[in-house]
Every structure is written in C-alpha cells, then in structure tokens.
Amino acid sequence: MILDNENPSPRKIVVKPIVDSYNSFSINEKERRDWSGNIYLACFAGILAIAFFT
C-alpha cells in the first residue's frame, strides 16, 4: 500500500456543521464534470454535418 501518492478525487466534498445541533454535520457532494464525451460527440456531429452538406 502506497501512502505517499494521493489521487485527486472526482468529487468535491463540503462538510458544514448544522446550526443548533451537537456533532451533526451536513455533507454536500459535488462531482466534477467530464467534458471529454461531449467534445467527442460534438466532433462526430460536425463530421456528419460536413459529410451531409458536401
């Protein structure tokens, strides 16, 4: 097990204490978007549009 290397998490976790409570926390998770699939889809649609109009 290698403990020196940390991998970046695809999720951003925000921990906030809940007001007027004892040892209670609210955990909000936000995922980073992966735009690579959308870029490939846009390129493919562009190629199809060029092929259709020529």
Side-chain angles (χ1 to χ4, degrees):
M1 191 167 166
I2 299 173
L3 298 176
D4 294 335
N5 297 337
E6 287 188 19
N7 294 332
S9 176
R11 294 185 261 169
K12 181 180 179 183
I13 299 174
V14 178
V15 179
K16 294 181 182 178
I18 297 175
V19 180
D20 296 331
S21 65
Y22 180 73
N23 272 350
S24 296
F25 296 93
S26 171
I27 299 175
N28 296 327
E29 252 182 278
K30 293 184 180 178
E31 293 187 21
R32 283 191 254 162
R33 292 187 177 216
D34 183 19
W35 290 97
S36 63
N38 292 342
I39 292 171
Y40 290 131
L41 182 63
C43 290
F44 182 69
I47 291 170
L48 285 178
I50 290 170
F52 180 74
F53 291 115
T54 56

